[in-house]
């Protein structure tokens, strides 16, 4: 069996000392491949914590460049990188955080044409995208590729987080695992008048929810603790309150239900061109 070398034992000492992780779990993290959708508000803490944790191979999909208005919450980027592709900015920062980790930049937009190939190359997907079209596409592609999805969203002062494992059928409690569509139903129609810049968000909210998302990614990779599949966490920053609600699979879900209509990504018009800003 492989072992951690001396410098790894030191770098990851606070993980290795946890019986739930130990040297074996740390080696598992080093051998894991995670795809992060979006290097924005949620992607920033997510990428930083996954790299620091020693998740060995991290892919990141984002077609955008760093804008000055991003820096209020997108802490993986800094002022010197305004105008650079976000995936390159993130790669440079993560190399400083942990040179052991490989960051694979995908400077492109996730589309029905590339989603299955991209997602199929990783063990798990973490969605921090900023629009509904991409969220539905990530859900469908993760389900069809058979990959667990850790999904988070933020808007204004509210955050939400869940894990989707519908491709695996039933969870440990014997209940069917829901997918994103089971919870949120039909994709909202595009509204070209609303742009992402119109929607405000408290900067530190991205840090809070993106960090919780990183925790769930590590739990899913290691299979420790209680999975958030079948549960949705809601955070209200103005109320300073967390709420976790149970969510169930929809037997009529067009993707994971009993009579699925979506059998391939080409079956859906995601409307990526007029994507509505959801959150990130
Ligand atoms: Zn479903």
């Amino acid at each position: 069996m492989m072992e951690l070398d001396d410098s790894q034992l030191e770098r990851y000492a606070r993980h290795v000392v946890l019986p739930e992780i130990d040297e074996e779990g740390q080696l598992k993290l080093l051998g894991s491949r995670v795809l992060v959708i979006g290097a924005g508000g949620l992607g920033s803490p997510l990428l930083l914590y996954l790299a620091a944790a020693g998740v060995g191979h991290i892919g990141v999909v984002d077609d955008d460049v760093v804008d000055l208005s991003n820096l209020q919450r997108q802490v993986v980027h800094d002022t010197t990188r305004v105008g650079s592709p976000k995936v390159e900015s993130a790669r440079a920062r993560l190399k400083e955080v942990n040179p052991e980790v490989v960051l694979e930049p995908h400077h492109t937009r996730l589309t029905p044409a590339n989603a299955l190939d991209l997602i199929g190359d990783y063990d798990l997907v973490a969605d921090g995208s900023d629009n509904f079209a991409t969220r539905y596409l990530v859900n469908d592609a993760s389900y069809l590729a058979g990959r667990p999805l850790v999904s988070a969203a933020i808007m204004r002062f509210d955050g939400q987080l869940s894990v989707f494992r519908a491709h695996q059928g039933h969870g440990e409690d014997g209940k069917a695992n829901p997918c994103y569509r089971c919870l949120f139903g039909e994709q909202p129609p595009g509204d070209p008048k609303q742009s992402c810049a119109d929607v405000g968000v408290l900067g530190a909210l991205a840090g809070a929810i993106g960090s919780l998302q990183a925790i769930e990614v590590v739990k899913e990779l290691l299979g420790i603790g209680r999975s958030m599949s079948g549960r949705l966490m809601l955070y209200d920053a103005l109320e300073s309150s967390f709420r976790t609600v149970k969510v169930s699979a929809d037997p009529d879900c067009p993707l994971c239900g009993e009579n699925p209509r979506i059998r391939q990504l080409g079956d859906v018009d995601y409307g990526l061109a007029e994507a509505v800003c959801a959150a990130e």
Side-chain angles (χ1 to χ4, degrees):
M1 185 187 132
M2 282 194 41
E3 283 181 3
L4 297 174
D5 65 28
D6 286 349
S7 115
Q8 290 173 319
L9 281 170
E10 190 172 351
R11 179 184 283 273
Y12 305 116
R14 299 299 187 281
H15 272 171
V16 173
V17 77
L18 294 168
E20 290 82 357
I21 299 183
D22 209 337
E23 189 170 351
E24 193 185 330
Q26 189 59 51
L27 285 163
K28 201 168 180 183
L29 291 179
L30 287 164
S32 294
R33 300 173 60 86
V34 172
L35 183 65
V36 174
I37 314 292
L42 291 165
S44 288
L46 193 48
L47 289 164
L48 288 167
Y49 275 115
L50 295 181
V55 171
H57 202 107
I58 304 169
V60 59
V61 187
D62 200 307
D63 68 344
D64 211 357
V65 296
V66 180
D67 187 85
L68 188 58
S69 67
N70 299 150
L71 301 180
Q72 161 258 17
R73 64 200 177 285
Q74 301 185 12
V75 295
V76 78
H77 311 299
D78 64 52
T79 311
T80 64
R81 305 214 188 272
V82 168
S84 309
K86 286 188 180 178
V87 292
E88 293 302 335
S89 166
R91 177 157 74 170
R93 178 75 186 104
L94 263 52
K95 202 169 179 176
E96 294 168 350
V97 171
N98 189 348
E100 285 201 331
V101 165
V102 177
L103 192 279
E104 197 174 351
H106 301 286
H107 188 208
T108 180
R109 186 153 200 194
L110 198 75
T111 67
N114 66 18
L116 282 178
D117 279 347
L118 271 170
I119 285 174
D121 207 23
Y122 293 85
D123 302 321
L124 179 148
V125 183
D127 186 11
S129 63
D130 66 355
N131 64 83
F132 283 115
T134 302
R135 287 183 176 277
Y136 279 81
L137 173 60
V138 171
N139 175 66
D140 298 354
S142 300
Y143 176 82
L144 294 171
R147 297 293 187 274
L149 167 61
V150 181
S151 179
I154 51 172
M155 190 184 270
R156 299 183 183 93
F157 297 94
D158 296 312
Q160 65 184 41
L161 176 68
S162 192
V163 169
F164 300 108
R165 286 184 164 278
H167 63 283
Q168 286 183 322
H170 296 259
E172 280 175 16
D173 57 3
K175 290 194 178 131
N177 289 319
C179 80
Y180 184 87
R181 283 182 184 276
C182 293
L183 270 65
F184 298 102
E186 285 295 311
Q187 187 182 329
D191 177 2
K193 292 192 293 297
Q194 189 191 25
S195 81
C196 293
D198 297 334
V199 182
V201 63
L202 182 70
L205 181 66
I209 302 298
S211 301
L212 287 170
Q213 195 177 7
I215 291 172
E216 298 305 322
V217 169
V218 169
K219 281 172 60 189
E220 292 290 333
L221 291 174
L222 297 180
I224 60 173
R226 183 177 166 203
S227 173
M228 279 203 71
S229 178
R231 292 185 295 157
L232 174 70
M233 181 187 282
L234 302 161
Y235 174 58
D236 180 338
L238 289 180
E239 279 295 317
S240 309
S241 76
F242 280 100
R243 211 153 54 90
T244 303
V245 295
K246 282 189 181 169
V247 287
S248 34
D250 176 5
D252 296 323
C253 175
L255 181 70
C256 74
E258 286 159 14
N259 297 299
R261 284 185 282 110
I262 304 167
R263 296 185 179 276
Q264 50 189 13
L265 299 178
D267 293 342
V268 184
D269 176 15
Y270 292 96
L272 282 160
E274 64 270 16
V276 182
C277 183
E280 61 178 36

